Amino acid sequence: MKKRTFLKISATFGAGVVVAPSLVSCNEEASNDTDATGEAAAATLLSFELPKLPYPYDALVAAVDEETMTIHHQKHHQGYVNKLNKAIQETKTEASSLEDLLAKTDLPEAIRNNGGGHFNHSLFWEILAPEPVQPSKTMDGLLSKDFGSVEGFKKSFTEAAGGVFGSGWAWLCLGDDEQLFITTTPNQDNPLMSVAEKQGKPLMGIDVWEHAYYLRYQNERGQYLQKILERINWEAVENNLG
Ligand code: MN
């Protein structure tokens, strides 16, 4: 069921690469180190590419204008990808996946900022939709169990996101205890990182950096949050439960 929906999204927009949480799609460059058998070691120096948006730049115009989407994807996100690749090469930081990389302790600053930037934006594009996709019965049940109702979730999420001081992200995550929780992170940190106040599996992340909304909403972050929460692809969020 989930797979079929994914394929449909891909076909509709012809985007080629569907921005899955496996946006984690990357090119592995075998490290120079080889083990005793002469085979490449498992850990590698990864390199990443900017994922295509799963919809056109003007598709979210009900919430986010075309210019903001274009700059955000082509300039900001591309910048994180470029700097991440450079930082991986310079620091020779090996990992088996983007998640594996971000979960490392003592992350080099440039990888923390730009690896976070790449993961966060890839997830962000994926969980938005030109036409909102409502929560399934399952997702509705999970949100209702932990937040009272879908509306209760949105209210709590909006409060959390509105309370981020300066630049950062608001998250819906799945914890080790199988409970959903809302958390926020500063800058490009995310709940995969050891520095996060609360670690968990990110299901949905909303960018509250001013670059995500300033052209249309200026300082009115609350208005941006209200509009963008009307453009959530709840099926994509549910898929991230894994
Ligand atoms: Mn951003």
Side-chain angles (χ1 to χ4, degrees), residues 48-59:
F48 297 92
E49 292 176 0
L50 181 68
K52 290 181 180 166
L53 285 186
Y55 35 71
Y57 286 112
D58 62 357

Side-chain angles (χ1 to χ4, degrees), residues 8-219:
K8 195 179 82 184
I9 292 169
S10 178
T12 304
F13 298 104
V17 178
V18 175
V19 192
S22 50
L23 19 111
V24 180
S25 72
C26 54
N27 304 314
E28 295 182 9
E29 179 184 302
S31 87
N32 292 328
D33 299 327
T34 53
D35 63 21
T37 63
E39 291 176 359
T44 55
L45 296 181
L46 301 174
S47 79
F48 297 92
E49 292 176 0
L50 181 68
K52 290 181 180 166
L53 285 186
Y55 35 71
Y57 286 112
D58 62 357
L60 300 178
V61 71
V64 185
D65 59 279
E66 182 177 1
E67 188 181 8
T68 295
M69 287 297 294
T70 306
I71 296 170
H72 203 172
H73 181 251
Q74 293 182 0
K75 304 295 183 187
H76 291 280
H77 192 171
Q78 182 73 68
Y80 297 124
V81 170
N82 294 348
K83 289 176 190 167
L84 171 62
N85 289 336
K86 186 163 173 271
I88 288 172
Q89 291 298 325
E90 284 177 356
T91 61
K92 302 286 179 214
T93 304
E94 298 185 337
S96 59
S97 68
L98 182 54
E99 286 92 338
D100 175 46
L101 180 67
L102 297 181
K104 288 180 183 294
T105 52
D106 297 328
L107 263 189
E109 191 72 10
I111 293 184
R112 174 178 171 182
N113 290 335
N114 295 293
H118 178 41
F119 179 90
N120 299 352
H121 287 85
S122 299
L123 180 66
F124 184 52
W125 312 135
E126 175 214 339
I127 56 90
L128 298 174
E131 294 298 330
V133 179
Q134 299 304 327
S136 68
K137 261 190 177 168
T138 304
M139 198 67 219
D140 191 314
L142 290 172
L143 291 167
S144 297
K145 178 168 73 72
D146 293 328
F147 305 105
S149 64
V150 175
E151 285 311 307
F153 160 74
K154 286 186 180 177
K155 187 166 179 288
S156 298
F157 190 89
T158 301
E159 283 171 8
V164 173
F165 182 75
S167 300
W169 290 75
W171 304 94
L172 171 65
C173 294
L174 179 67
D176 288 341
D177 58 1
E178 299 296 315
Q179 303 283 307
L180 300 183
F181 68 93
I182 293 168
T183 190
T184 64
T185 53
N187 303 313
Q188 296 296 353
D189 287 355
N190 67 44
L192 295 171
M193 296 179 178
S194 61
V195 291
E197 200 172 288
K198 187 166 181 187
Q199 280 186 279
K201 183 174 190 176
L203 307 179
M204 160 183 159
I206 297 293
D207 192 343
V208 295
W209 283 56
E210 285 186 343
H211 69 223
Y213 61 86
Y214 206 85
L215 288 181
R216 180 183 289 180
Y217 299 97
Q218 287 83 50
N219 60 320

